Each structure stands twice: as structure tokens, then as C-alpha cells.
Amino acid sequence: PGMCRESTNWWLEEPGGARKPTWDIASTAMIGERKGIILVEAKAHSTEPSELGKTLGSKENEGSIRAAICQANAGLGGAQAGWNLTTDSHYQLCNRFAWSWKIASFGVPVILVYLGFLNTEEMSDIGQPFRSAIEWSDVIRSHADRILPSTAWESPMDVDGASMRAIIKAVDLNWSVDSY
């Protein structure tokens, strides 16, 4: 509860009614010898990775979120190390890495998974489905270019003694309503 309160106050000046980022999947897990958390951001088609910045709500929360992302960016090594987390573009990508960093700063290991669902034909009216793990990896790496260093993927980062790792995975569930 203390970490939840601290992270909410780090992110929001006025939390009442405001939304924190939501995850597609969040789970605790043993990471090495420590209890940690796995955070999953899932995408199923080409229009989901967005380069949009965040239209923020209240002025107070806008300043707080900007400061939180700036702090995470500095904590990860800043522009000199290739980190360019911002609220001005790629907001969802930036807030995912900022929150992962914040959780790791509490000494909790974090694995951030960017999960691509493959061959989601039911979504083809919204965007082109990803066809392969390589395509998905290329899309997300290209999307993150100029925002994250290429070393952000697959290589563990040390955050105050806790491991933070971002990985790209793909899954083809090949499910259909007709098969049930």
C-alpha cells in the first residue's frame, strides 16, 4: 500500500478522478530470487502503437506527470544514454517505461513485456494485423526509435539495485469463435 500511494503521488498531484496508466496484464512473479512484477502492454494491429502525446487533464496533474516522466528519463540515463521519455509524443510508450522505472526504484524487479498478438483477423477493419514475431518486433522497435535506446530491449537495466527488463514477445493464439 505504501508503494501504491507513493507512486500515485509521484504521478498525480490531484489523484481524485484522475486515471493512472492501465495495463493489459499485470502479475507478480519470482524474478531471480526476488518477488517482482510483470507488466504487459499488448497490441494486435498496426494502428495501435501511437506517436501521439498526451492531452492531459488538470494543470496540476499535467505538471506532475511531466515531472514524473522527466525523473524516470533521468533515472534511466537521460538523453546522453539515448532515453527521450516525454509527454509530447509516444506518450503510452513513455509512461510504460516511466512506471516500470518507478516500480524498480522501490527495489522491485520489473519485466515489461511488449506483447504482439499475431493474425488477429477480427481486427483487420481497424488496422493491419501483425503476421510474424519478426514483423511485430520490427514495428515496436521502429516505433520506439528516438525515444528509447536500442539497448532498452532485451538487456536488463539496474535501477537502484533492482532489475528492470523490457522484452518484445509475440503470440499467435489462432482462436476462432467457430472452434468452441
Side-chain angles (χ1 to χ4, degrees):
M3 284 188 255
C4 288
R5 222 178 356 269
E6 187 176 335
S7 58
T8 297
N9 292 337
W10 167 75
W11 192 252
L12 299 170
E13 181 72 25
E14 295 182 9
R19 289 184 48 183
K20 297 179 295 254
T22 56
W23 300 91
D24 293 307
I25 302 170
S27 176
T28 58
M30 291 303 293
I31 300 173
E33 300 294 317
R34 297 169 75 180
K35 188 172 183 179
I37 189 163
I38 298 172
L39 301 170
V40 179
E41 180 61 32
K43 305 290 184 206
H45 55 80
S46 60
T47 62
E48 283 193 280
S50 173
E51 294 184 8
L52 294 176
K54 176 67 173 164
T55 304
L56 302 170
S58 72
K59 291 280 187 202
E60 293 81 8
N61 285 341
E62 178 178 343
S64 183
I65 291 169
R66 284 184 190 279
I69 287 180
C70 184
Q71 182 185 18
N73 193 67
L76 288 164
Q80 205 164 352
W83 291 92
N84 295 297
L85 303 182
T86 179
T87 56
D88 297 329
S89 72
H90 297 76
Y91 175 71
Q92 189 181 65
L93 176 75
C94 294
N95 78 44
R96 297 312 190 235
F97 275 85
W99 273 85
S100 297
W101 172 84
K102 184 61 177 176
I103 293 166
S105 78
F106 293 133
V108 177
V110 176
I111 298 174
L112 173 60
V113 181
Y114 264 75
L115 180 63
F117 286 97
L118 305 179
N119 302 309
T120 55
E121 300 308 322
E122 67 278 10
M123 299 186 130
S124 60
D125 61 327
I126 300 170
Q128 179 65 38
F130 305 116
R131 299 291 178 206
S132 71
I134 292 170
E135 178 187 356
W136 163 241
S137 180
D138 289 349
V139 165
I140 201 63
R141 286 174 188 276
S142 175
H143 174 67
D145 190 41
R146 295 183 313 277
I147 303 297
L148 313 176
S150 61
T151 57
W153 303 108
E154 313 303 334
S155 300
M157 296 164 263
D158 180 70
V159 178
D160 299 329
S163 175
M164 176 182 148
R165 186 174 192 151
I167 60 175
I168 302 169
K169 294 292 181 184
V171 64
D172 185 347
L173 299 176
N174 200 19
W175 291 351
S176 71
V177 175
D178 297 335
S179 65
Y180 288 98

